[in-house]
Amino acid sequence: WSQGIAKPFAFRRNILQEHHKLSPLNSTSFKSNIKTLNESSQHVKLALYHPATIILFVGTFSVFAIMLWILRRLPPLSSVETPSQRFLWRPTKSSHFKTNKAILVRYWRSHSWDFLIGMTTLSIMLQTLCVPGSATTINVMAGSLFHDVMPSGEYLIGLPFAVFTATVSSLFCYVLSWLTACQIVARRFPTKISWLQQKISAHSDSLLFLL
C-alpha cells in the first residue's frame, strides 16, 4: 500500500529532478525543456490513473462531502440571533466583528461542540480552496471568541485551532492541486516551471529563506 501511494508522487519528483538541469535562456535547451515537459506530462497522466491516485482522489472528495454534510446538520445561527443583531458573513468594520462575536458567544454557550466542529470544518474548507481573507477572518474571530468564553482560551483553544486548520487545509490544497492541475500546469507553463526550478536549484541550501 505504501509503495502504491508513493509511486504517483515519485513521478512528480522525477519530473522536478529532470527539469533542474534545464535552462530556458538557451534556445536549444528551451526547446529541449518543452519536449521533456511534454514527455514528463505523459508520466503524470499515467500516474493519475494509478489505483492509489484514484483512491486518494475519491477519499479527498469524500472528506469534502462529509464536511458539507456536517455544515448542513449544524443548528442554524438564526437560533441565537436577535432582531437587533444579525450575523454578517462579510464583516468590514470593527462593529461588525463585535456583533458577530456576540452572536457566536451565544451560539457557543448553546451548542459548544457543534460550534467547534462547524468552525473547524468551515475554516478547513475555505483555506483549502484559498478563499482570500478566510484564514485571517476566522482566526481573528476564534482568538477573540475563545478569549471570552474561558480563561486563556485564545491559547488553549484558539492557537491549536489555527495551527490544526492551517495544516490540514494546506495538505488538502496540495492534494487537490496535484490531482487536478499538475498535468495542466506542466503543459501550459513550461517556462514558468523552468524559471522556478532554477531558482530552487540555485538556492537548494537555503530553501527556507527562499520560501
Side-chain angles (χ1 to χ4, degrees), residues 7-27:
K7 188 175 180 180
F9 292 94
F11 280 115
R12 192 169 186 272
R13 185 174 62 252
N14 292 337
I15 292 173
L16 293 176
Q17 292 173 350
E18 290 175 7
H19 301 332
H20 281 321
K21 303 175 183 178
L22 301 175
S23 171
L25 301 178
N26 182 283
S27 59

Side-chain angles (χ1 to χ4, degrees), residues 85-105:
Q85 288 186 326
R86 297 292 182 180
F87 191 85
L88 301 172
W89 291 99
R90 295 181 179 179
T92 57
K93 303 177 181 179
S94 59
S95 59
H96 296 169
F97 280 98
K98 291 178 180 179
T99 300
N100 287 352
K101 177 183 173 182
I103 296 173
L104 291 177
V105 167

Side-chain angles (χ1 to χ4, degrees), residues 167-179:
T167 303
V168 174
S169 59
S170 61
L171 173 63
F172 284 162
C173 185
Y174 174 84
V175 171
L176 284 178
S177 64
W178 186 86
L179 289 173

Side-chain angles (χ1 to χ4, degrees), residues 142-173:
S144 176
L145 174 69
F146 293 129
H147 171 76
D148 286 358
V149 298
M150 67 174 56
S152 302
E154 67 273 26
Y155 302 110
L156 297 177
I157 300 180
L159 182 59
F161 166 84
V163 173
F164 174 77
T165 55
T167 303
V168 174
S169 59
S170 61
L171 173 63
F172 284 162
C173 185

Side-chain angles (χ1 to χ4, degrees), residues 91-139:
T92 57
K93 303 177 181 179
S94 59
S95 59
H96 296 169
F97 280 98
K98 291 178 180 179
T99 300
N100 287 352
K101 177 183 173 182
I103 296 173
L104 291 177
V105 167
R106 292 198 297 269
Y107 193 91
W108 166 270
R109 290 171 179 168
S110 302
H111 318 283
S112 298
W113 283 107
D114 290 331
F115 172 82
L116 188 59
I117 294 173
M119 196 167 184
T120 302
T121 302
L122 182 63
S123 178
I124 291 174
M125 291 186 65
L126 293 178
Q127 292 185 64
T128 298
L129 300 176
C130 299
V131 176
S134 58
T136 302
T137 301
I138 292 179
N139 288 338

